[in-house]
Amino acid sequence: IDKALMTTRDHPRTMMQWSRDAYAGFSKVQPWFHVNPNYESINVFDQVNDPNSIWSHYQKLFGLRRFSKYSQTIIYGTYEMILKEDSNLFVYLRKLNKDTLIVIGSFSKNDELFDMTNYPLEEILIHNYDSVNINENTLNLRPYETICYKVKEQL
């Protein structure tokens, strides 16, 4: 990196990577600043057109909050933290009327286990893997896996 850039706010910046085109689709001519060399593999066009991309996942999250039958629970439901002392799992409940949703997120690079006994699965709302690993009442979370599901009402 140019030493002059180290004294400015620009050294961590790059152009917006819109596409795989020259200059990352940011400009038709060489821009005043460097383009990150990864623009051919990380760019907006590819994210928008990949149903498994982070962009697509966020679109699903926005839709879940705005248009799902559980949007009121997501927006107005009470928040209850579970496993407060666990540094690898971030788990919380959202409750409104008879609906209970649980969000379980792993911040670990290793597999983590979550006991679902008190939170039986009724319906998966969103998940960042293609499948869910459940063995009886134990959810096996892979590295950085997150799931949100409707908890079955227990009578």
Side-chain angles (χ1 to χ4, degrees), residues 1-12 33:
I1 293 180
D2 185 344
K3 288 189 179 194
L5 289 176
M6 295 302 288
T7 61
T8 73
R9 63 186 180 150
D10 292 335
H11 69 276
F33 201 62

Side-chain angles (χ1 to χ4, degrees), residues 20-52:
R20 294 178 180 195
D21 297 337
Y23 311 118
F26 180 83
S27 174
K28 300 240 184 251
V29 297
Q30 185 171 356
W32 66 276
F33 201 62
H34 70 278
V35 176
N36 192 316
N38 68 3
Y39 76 92
E40 291 183 351
S41 60
I42 300 174
N43 59 70
V44 174
F45 181 84
D46 288 349
Q47 286 283 304
V48 169
N49 291 293
D50 178 359
N52 296 315

